[in-house]
């Protein structure tokens, strides 16, 4: 898929504020600092579209970016970041749960995981929640440039083994590096295919 147009549409602090048009949402989520905003900028080819920050917890709203006037790319708040206000202290905020489990706009969700880390309980809990509710999702491993090819393979194998304990069939897995541009084409092609039936 070629992205010819990418525009910031709106930030929502409640589900009632998300766009009302019929375009589908493709959303991105993960722990704070995993590289969501960087991946969004890589995919859209617009360096400054989503704000990248070295300080975790930067994205606290649901941000909609309108792509090719055909779908929305959605930057969700990071989960599992405790040092915010009281209401947001739960592992998964109400905003995240409302959107992920109840928003009918959401067509597909990418869960981002740092490829350097061993499987984290909070991510596994979130993935389990998605499975229980039948939410369609794939996994994107981020920051692949920080590991050697052999280390990447080891890390992926470790994650596959963990997921296989929980799932009969693994979700689609992607490896990305926003620093090196890895994974961009695969993810965009996947999105294009996933949107196709909805277009007709
Ligand atoms: P929050 O919005 O705060 O939850 O973070 P986020 O998930 O949007 O992460 P963001 O894209 O802001 O990136 C966090 C930090 O990781 C920044 O310092 C980025 O430059 C760095 N980073 C993100 N992706 C990559 C990557 O693929 N490779 C490397 N080396 N660094 C990355
Ligand atoms: Mg962000």
């Amino acid at each position: 898929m070629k992205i010819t147009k990418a525009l910031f549409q709106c930030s929502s602090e409640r589900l009632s504020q998300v766009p009302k048009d019929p375009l589908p949402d493709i959303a991105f989520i993960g722990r704070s600092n995993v590289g969501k905003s960087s991946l969004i900028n890589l995919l859209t080819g617009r360096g400054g579209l989503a704000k990248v920050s070295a300080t975790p917890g930067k994205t606290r709203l649901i941000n909609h970016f309108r792509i090719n006037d055909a779908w929305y790319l959605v930057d969700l708040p990071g989960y599992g970041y405790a040092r915010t206000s009281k209401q947001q202290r739960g592992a998964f905020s109400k905003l995240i749960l409302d959107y992920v489990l109840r928003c009918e706009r959401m067509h597909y969700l990418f869960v981002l995981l740092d490829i350097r880390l061993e499987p984290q309980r909070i991510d596994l809990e979130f993935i389990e929640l998605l499975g229980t509710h039948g939410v369609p999702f794939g996994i994107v491993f981020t920051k692949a440039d920080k590991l050697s090819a052999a280390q990447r393979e080891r890390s992926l194998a470790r994650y596959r083994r963990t997921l296989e304990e929980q799932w009969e069939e693994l979700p689609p897995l992607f490896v990305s590096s926003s620093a090196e541009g890895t994974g961009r084409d695969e993810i965009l092609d996947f999105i294009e295919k996933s949107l196709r039936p909805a277009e007709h």
Side-chain angles (χ1 to χ4, degrees):
M1 179 196 306
K2 269 211 161 61
I3 294 188
T4 53
K5 204 171 165 191
L7 296 171
F8 170 73
Q9 180 84 15
C10 60
S11 291
S12 312
E13 53 181 342
R14 276 186 292 279
L15 207 55
S16 59
Q17 295 169 337
V18 300
K20 306 271 183 297
D21 60 45
L23 301 185
D25 284 3
I26 304 284
F28 293 78
I29 197 165
R31 294 203 306 153
S32 276
N33 220 38
V34 69
K36 285 182 300 292
S37 300
S38 303
L39 181 69
I40 288 168
N41 291 336
L42 172 73
L43 293 177
T44 57
R46 271 82 171 164
L49 198 59
K51 289 194 185 65
V52 172
S53 163
T55 321
K58 182 94 187 159
T59 312
R60 304 221 180 121
L61 304 167
I62 296 177
N63 292 307
H64 275 77
F65 301 94
R66 193 180 170 102
I67 308 297
N68 295 351
D69 291 326
W71 54 283
Y72 287 106
L73 192 157
V74 180
D75 189 8
L76 293 170
Y79 55 67
Y81 177 66
R83 277 183 292 158
T84 56
S85 72
K86 260 186 196 152
Q87 308 92 283
Q88 294 172 315
R89 200 163 283 164
F92 311 121
S93 69
K94 180 172 174 348
L95 184 61
I96 290 175
L97 294 176
D98 277 353
Y99 180 81
V100 169
L101 304 181
R102 280 183 274 285
C103 184
E104 285 170 8
R105 306 188 51 84
M106 204 192 68
H107 181 73
Y108 199 81
L109 179 67
F110 288 99
V111 179
L112 276 58
L113 304 174
D114 189 324
I115 197 166
R116 296 170 297 176
L117 303 180
E118 53 184 69
Q120 305 284 301
R121 176 188 293 216
I122 190 162
D123 293 316
L124 296 172
E125 275 175 20
F126 188 72
I127 289 169
E128 172 141 25
L129 188 73
L130 298 178
T132 312
H133 287 81
V135 177
F137 74 98
I139 292 177
V140 179
F141 292 95
T142 62
K143 309 194 183 183
D145 57 284
K146 300 232 185 189
L147 295 184
S148 70
Q151 289 170 322
R152 281 184 205 184
E153 280 316 310
R154 267 203 298 281
S155 189
L156 285 174
R158 184 172 57 189
Y159 230 104
R160 276 201 198 92
R161 277 198 305 276
T162 305
L163 290 172
E164 275 162 0
E165 288 169 13
Q166 225 174 345
W167 304 92
E168 271 176 37
E169 205 183 320
L170 292 182
L173 304 178
F174 303 90
V175 174
S176 79
S177 161
S178 302
E180 293 178 345
T182 319
R184 179 176 192 267
D185 295 345
E186 290 85 349
I187 296 168
L188 286 177
D189 285 351
F190 183 88
I191 292 174
E192 185 172 29
K193 284 199 193 91
S194 88
L195 289 172
R196 230 175 255 156
E199 283 171 6
H200 300 289

